[in-house]
Amino acid sequence: MKHIVLLGDSIFDNNSYVNSGELDVPNQLRSLVSHRSRVTNLAVDGHKIGHVKNQLDNLPPSATNLFVSVGGNDGLGHLSIFNSHVSTVGEALQQMYRIGNNFKKRYSEMVDLVLSYNIPTAFCSIYYPRFDARSLNRVQHYMTAIQNGREIQEMAMAAETIFNDIISYEVFKRKIPLIDLRILCDDDEDFANPIEPSCIGGMKIAKTINSIADTFDTNRHQKEVYV
């Protein structure tokens, strides 16, 4: 029996954001898997890279497939720098490099920890937010002086390339699969708010997870992108 375990943040643990009567990602996945498969959600809304270690403490012994989506909240924690003043573009890039370098260290350590369990694993990139299409209430506390949605969207997409480049590098150098959520969730309707998946986006994620779990070949490295 396959036992799929979800680790990470609200990309999987999105129950608080879907409409009444709609299924969150774990339950959408349960609706797709056969009756001989199990799904356990250890992801927690709001968790960051450093929380994955604690989530793994509750890993079921019967787990056969792990899926990890984390890092977005670490990035959100840096939204306040959009209001920082710098003298040159180079100085701004240097600040982003330092943030990325710290992110890389923590993400790399987390990937190695997850893989140390020797269970087939796939990781997710961070999808582009929808600051320009949704209310900013969900993210207002991250910024001292909120700008309009279009301004934040442009800044966030530029900054996010740093985090996603690191995720891709750390995943691919270990020859493991990556679910590219930027491509998978590319419509406004995929989002319940600027940063969490709706029922529609969640089903896209659940279907991709189910497909990978069904086809994952443990006898070969799978350095592949799923969308």
Side-chain angles (χ1 to χ4, degrees), residues 14 23-32 198-200 202-203 206:
N14 67 325
L23 298 178
D24 57 8
V25 170
N27 282 308
Q28 287 173 318
L29 184 56
R30 292 184 183 106
S31 74
L32 296 172
S198 65
C199 180
I200 295 173
M203 181 54 80

Side-chain angles (χ1 to χ4, degrees), residues 175-214:
K175 297 182 172 64
I176 49 181
L178 176 72
I179 301 174
D180 197 330
L181 296 181
R182 294 170 296 179
I183 300 173
L184 188 65
C185 297
D186 60 350
D187 294 320
D188 289 347
E189 65 181 5
D190 295 328
F191 294 79
N193 59 46
I195 56 174
E196 271 98 15
S198 65
C199 180
I200 295 173
M203 181 54 80
K204 289 182 178 181
I205 295 169
K207 285 181 177 179
T208 304
I209 291 173
N210 185 43
S211 176
I212 296 173
D214 278 346

Side-chain angles (χ1 to χ4, degrees), residues 83-156:
N83 295 313
S84 300
H85 295 283
V86 294
S87 301
T88 65
V89 173
E91 186 180 343
L93 290 173
Q94 187 178 45
Q95 287 189 24
M96 290 306 303
Y97 169 80
R98 290 170 178 169
I99 290 171
N101 200 42
N102 181 265
F103 181 94
K104 183 178 187 298
K105 181 178 185 297
R106 290 181 287 113
Y107 197 88
S108 180
E109 290 174 350
M110 180 274 297
V111 173
D112 283 338
L113 176 62
V114 174
L115 296 182
S116 71
Y117 286 78
N118 294 313
I119 299 171
T121 303
F123 290 82
C124 298
S125 68
I126 303 170
Y127 55 32
Y128 292 133
R130 284 298 190 275
F131 294 125
D132 55 346
R134 294 286 184 270
S135 166
L136 296 175
N137 292 338
R138 177 69 175 84
V139 296
Q140 191 152 0
H141 68 282
Y142 288 106
M143 304 189 68
T144 56
I146 201 77
Q147 290 105 344
N148 67 57
R150 171 47 56 182
E151 289 177 337
I152 300 174
Q153 182 71 20
E154 292 174 352
M155 295 175 189

